[in-house]
Amino acid sequence: ADAPTQPQSQSSWTPSYDCNNVESGPERMICANPVLSKLDIQLNNTYAAASKRVSDRDALKSEQADWLKNVRNACSDSDCMSNAYRTRISELEAK
């Protein structure tokens, strides 16, 4: 088991990446929102599981990069982003 990560100074929740090193607006929005942070972790776990099931990991990786750029990063509010995460999690669970 991994050692527990230290809580971020601005909050007691963290997404799947270090909020101290974010530059993009979408990642800052996720760091500021506990619901989005939880969805980010859930997506990360679902993606990791899907990558073990699919035969073409490169295609999955490319699809995920497209989703980040064209769907998640196109959101300007937390409702859009939470819907984008939930939809993507469902898509990955179906793989």
Side-chain angles (χ1 to χ4, degrees), residues 30 39-40 43 72 81-89:
I30 292 162
L39 284 168
D40 185 71
L43 176 73
R72 188 197 76 175
M81 198 171 280
S82 65
N83 287 334
Y85 267 93
R86 287 186 178 100
T87 300
R88 184 64 182 148
I89 289 165

Side-chain angles (χ1 to χ4, degrees), residues 16-38:
S16 64
Y17 51 85
D18 184 352
C19 285
N20 293 320
N21 296 326
V22 297
E23 295 175 17
S24 80
E27 290 180 341
R28 278 200 295 269
M29 194 186 330
I30 292 162
C31 286
N33 186 310
V35 172
L36 294 177
S37 290
K38 285 182 185 133

Side-chain angles (χ1 to χ4, degrees), residues 1-70:
D2 294 325
T5 56
Q6 294 299 313
Q8 298 292 329
S9 56
Q10 86 260 25
S11 64
S12 60
W13 65 84
T14 56
S16 64
Y17 51 85
D18 184 352
C19 285
N20 293 320
N21 296 326
V22 297
E23 295 175 17
S24 80
E27 290 180 341
R28 278 200 295 269
M29 194 186 330
I30 292 162
C31 286
N33 186 310
V35 172
L36 294 177
S37 290
K38 285 182 185 133
L39 284 168
D40 185 71
I41 289 170
Q42 187 181 348
L43 176 73
N44 225 36
N45 294 338
T46 305
Y47 177 84
S51 74
K52 292 176 182 156
R53 291 193 304 268
V54 299
S55 56
D56 190 343
R57 287 197 182 119
D58 288 339
L60 182 67
K61 191 174 183 179
S62 173
E63 189 183 284
Q64 187 70 4
D66 286 346
W67 176 83
L68 284 168
K69 184 175 141 195
N70 299 316

